Amino acid sequence: QVSSSNGKEGEEASTWQTVGPITASNNDDCNTESNCQQEAPKRQYTKALPLHVKHLLAPHATIKSHRKSKYLYRHSHDKIDTNLLVFLHGAGDSHTIYHALGRKLSIPQCATLSLHASCMNDSNERDGRDKCGFEALPFGLGWSWFQEMDYNTGLPLNKTSSCYKSSLERAATQLDNLLDDLTSIGEEDDSSSGGWIPERIFLFGFSAGACLAMQTCAHRIQKTKRPLGGAMCIAGGARIVDNVTDNEDGIDATPVLLVVGEKDQK
């Protein structure tokens, strides 16, 4: 009981109303760490492929489906594209299954770029850089990264033959040029299309793609370039290693993981 305004006992001066629980205003500080984390906006750091890289990969593409037949790019599932994983398929294979693999892996803070060996095919342009693509297989069997067989006899090329070596070295130069275009200049770039520093670019190659990945790593040592973040070579590896000399310039080599089976050719 409370006293009314005229002082009489037993009468309520006013009617009590339920107003619900008392809550902090929006201007109040977070009382707990969990509340602060819930209110904090999610950080997003997506990178788009630079336009000149898109043109390099698919120079004659006029619609989106044309570009998809040459390459497939996917942002990281957490929208933080700090790293880039480049997929290289095997001879006569497709890049689409590796695009699906990247989605299945869902590696945190890692965008994926799945390349088809028919990309970078532009024999009409001449600006001092080889842009005639990689290797088209005979009889409509698809594409590969370099020549592995004699198309006249149908026999595999000897790994020490000049034709094999020159074809693989040319492919490594092509891929290395693409990596240069994907690389940001100087310190780590926070822009949405600034590229990636070399140490945050990784290669994943299967069979012929694995040979190209490892050969590209060796090529970067020869050119005294900064190492990549790493290379994963499945059922394949470099064939031209006799011309890689000791590292006298202090350039670190790219870490390589080589995964092969008992029946893989040595």
Side-chain angles (χ1 to χ4, degrees), residues 57-148:
L57 292 173
H60 299 297
T62 55
I63 57 178
K64 191 174 183 179
S65 62
H66 292 166
R67 292 192 296 270
K68 285 185 175 181
S69 67
K70 306 299 181 183
Y71 69 91
L72 289 167
Y73 177 73
R74 180 185 298 278
H75 293 293
S76 174
H77 71 95
D78 54 11
K79 305 303 180 184
I80 304 176
D81 299 337
T82 307
N83 305 284
L84 177 67
L85 178 59
V86 180
F87 286 104
L88 305 169
H89 62 76
D93 205 347
S94 172
H95 61 315
T96 56
I97 59 175
Y98 295 92
H99 183 64
L101 174 61
R103 178 179 58 187
K104 188 71 173 179
L105 292 174
S106 295
I107 303 175
Q109 302 184 13
C110 185
T112 61
L113 176 62
S114 304
L115 300 179
H116 191 271
S118 63
C119 68
M120 302 175 66
N121 186 10
D122 188 6
S123 57
N124 295 325
E125 292 191 10
R126 292 291 180 266
D127 60 357
R129 290 176 59 174
D130 190 1
K131 290 187 176 181
C132 56
F134 293 95
E135 187 73 18
L137 299 176
F139 312 115
L141 296 177
W143 288 75
S144 186
W145 304 103
F146 56 93
Q147 185 175 352
E148 298 183 83

Side-chain angles (χ1 to χ4, degrees), residues 241-253:
V241 295
D242 53 346
N243 54 358
V244 178
T245 58
D246 293 336
N247 187 0
E248 300 177 354
D249 299 316
I251 302 297
D252 294 331

Side-chain angles (χ1 to χ4, degrees), residues 172-193:
T173 301
Q174 287 250 104
L175 180 58
D176 197 25
N177 288 339
L178 173 62
L179 295 175
D180 288 342
D181 287 324
L182 289 169
T183 300
S184 57
I185 305 301
E187 299 298 327
E188 187 169 358
D189 195 341
D190 288 335
S191 66
S192 61
S193 59

